[in-house]
Amino acid sequence: MTLSIESLTVLYGDKVAVDNVSLDIAVGDVLALVGPSGCGKSTLLRAIAGLVEPAEGRVEWQGRDITHVPTHQRGVGLMFQDHALFTHRDVADNIGFGLKMAGVGAGARAVRTEELLVLVGLEGFGPRSVEGLSGGEAQRVALARALAPEPALLLLDEPLASLDRARRIELNIELARLLRELEQTAVYVTHDQDEAFSLADDVGVMHQGQVLRVGSPGDVWRDPQFEIVARFVGHEAMIERDGQRFAVRPDAVSIATSGELVGRVKTCAFQGDRYALTIDVDGGPWRLFHSVAVEPGSMVRLSLDPTRLARITDI
């Protein structure tokens, strides 16, 4: 394992921000930390970066204990939501700034900067002022700057949160491609489930400072294990069967004339090749996908596939 976090706890005064977290991240993998605001995901990232001091636990990087090593000696690249670009420097100088501080010569800096501009799709942007960049372009410059020193570990905290949805989707796809192309080990913090699931090799769902569930996006979606995780990934309906509690996944429900359940359509949203429905049923609202639109207010019969229910427990 490249990065190992062992029993890490971070306190802000009397408040426990990160609560006894242990994680392992393999070489070349991207771990996305997700959860609602205030769950501790950004604090955990900052503890990995060395920006906050843990009260307990260890952070190990390739077998080396870096828990108390200063940030600039950890070999990590950092990218945050606010970009923090230098407005008095052009694009090239922003990207090469970290290299300059590390003593890299002007010639080597120029070569590396040009490589990165091509990589992030900004070829020819080097002389431009950062003040004239669009939000997406500024985001790409910030990413190039973080990648410039070729960090072994890249840490990204809500890097796309300031963008509109269309641009966020576009850059999420591009970022996923870049990270895989570079085989970059990374920890990615976001509150957006779709963003995390489309980008990460593994997802860690946090709640009140704890990582409740870690696994591949598919595993977490199919088997959230806890009700809080199930609700976060969109499984809002819960049912009881044979003394056990289950989350009703959208793929467990279908509209069928012979269905054993009855519900009223609450919402119907177009999603390209399908429609996302919310249906009021006992234990609902239930969510499912359907091939054609159904008028809100309509009564429908539903069939439930018990093999697609996700068994859950309380924390």
Side-chain angles (χ1 to χ4, degrees):
M1 294 295 178
T2 296
L3 179 68
S4 181
I5 301 164
E6 300 177 8
S7 304
L8 201 72
T9 296
V10 178
L11 303 177
Y12 289 142
D14 295 331
K15 179 184 177 182
V16 180
V18 174
D19 187 5
N20 195 34
V21 167
S22 295
L23 288 170
D24 290 311
I25 304 168
V27 174
D29 278 1
V30 178
L31 171 71
L33 295 173
V34 299
S37 296
C39 69
K41 55 188 184 296
S42 290
T43 299
L44 177 55
L45 188 85
R46 289 171 181 271
I48 296 170
L51 298 173
V52 296
E53 187 77 8
E56 297 179 8
R58 294 160 56 91
V59 178
E60 290 190 358
W61 175 244
Q62 296 180 329
R64 173 187 172 216
D65 185 351
I66 62 169
T67 310
H68 305 292
V69 172
T71 301
H72 68 278
Q73 295 179 8
R74 294 193 181 201
V76 300
L78 302 171
M79 182 178 174
F80 297 104
Q81 177 180 342
D82 60 3
H83 310 161
L85 298 179
F86 302 118
T87 57
H88 62 288
R89 297 177 182 271
D90 63 19
V91 168
D93 282 346
N94 267 273
I95 293 173
F97 179 77
L99 297 173
K100 184 176 182 179
M101 292 298 98
V104 177
R109 287 203 311 274
V111 170
R112 177 64 175 157
T113 296
E114 190 57 37
E115 290 175 351
L116 287 162
L117 285 169
V118 172
L119 183 68
V120 300
L122 295 178
E123 188 173 4
F125 274 60
R128 292 196 187 185
S129 166
V130 298
E131 293 186 298
L133 300 177
S134 69
E137 289 165 349
Q139 208 76 29
R140 291 169 186 263
V141 173
L143 175 61
R145 183 175 62 182
L147 291 171
E150 300 183 85
L153 176 64
L154 182 63
L155 305 176
L156 307 103
D157 191 359
E158 299 276 12
L160 308 181
S162 62
L163 304 177
D164 62 67
R165 179 166 178 79
R167 185 56 56 84
R168 198 163 64 240
I169 292 171
E170 174 190 338
L171 287 187
N172 179 251
I173 294 170
E174 186 67 13
L175 182 56
R177 181 191 67 79
L178 285 173
L179 293 177
R180 282 169 174 73
E181 182 178 308
L182 296 170
E183 298 182 342
Q184 178 70 58
T185 309
V187 181
Y188 187 99
V189 163
T190 178
H191 65 279
D192 188 310
Q193 166 206 327
D194 293 336
E195 194 175 297
F197 277 25
S198 64
L199 180 141
D201 297 289
D202 289 301
V203 174
V205 183
M206 294 191 67
H207 173 72
Q208 294 184 350
Q210 298 181 324
V211 177
L212 297 183
R213 179 75 169 96
V214 181
S216 71
D219 285 346
V220 172
W221 192 86
R222 286 187 294 267
D223 182 25
Q225 299 183 0
F226 298 99
E227 180 171 340
I228 288 172
V229 178
R231 291 188 184 279
F232 183 80
V233 300
H235 310 337
E236 296 187 7
M238 308 292 155
I239 61 172
E240 301 278 348
R241 288 203 164 185
D242 301 323
Q244 297 180 348
R245 191 162 171 79
F246 295 88
V248 181
R249 293 172 9 196
D251 63 336
V253 190
S254 59
I255 294 177
T257 55
S258 59
E260 66 272 22
L261 300 167
V262 177
R264 183 184 299 275
V265 177
K266 186 177 180 181
T267 64
C268 178
F270 179 61
Q271 292 191 345
D273 60 345
R274 63 184 182 177
Y275 291 83
L277 305 181
T278 302
I279 300 178
D280 282 332
V281 187
D282 288 342
W286 291 20
R287 300 187 186 278
L288 65 128
F289 302 108
H290 197 51
S291 59
V292 297
V294 182
E295 187 70 22
S298 302
M299 299 300 295
V300 294
R301 300 196 71 87
L302 303 171
S303 179
L304 189 63
D305 182 350
T307 67
R308 294 178 183 270
L309 298 175
R311 184 178 175 181
I312 56 171
T313 63
D314 294 329
I315 297 175

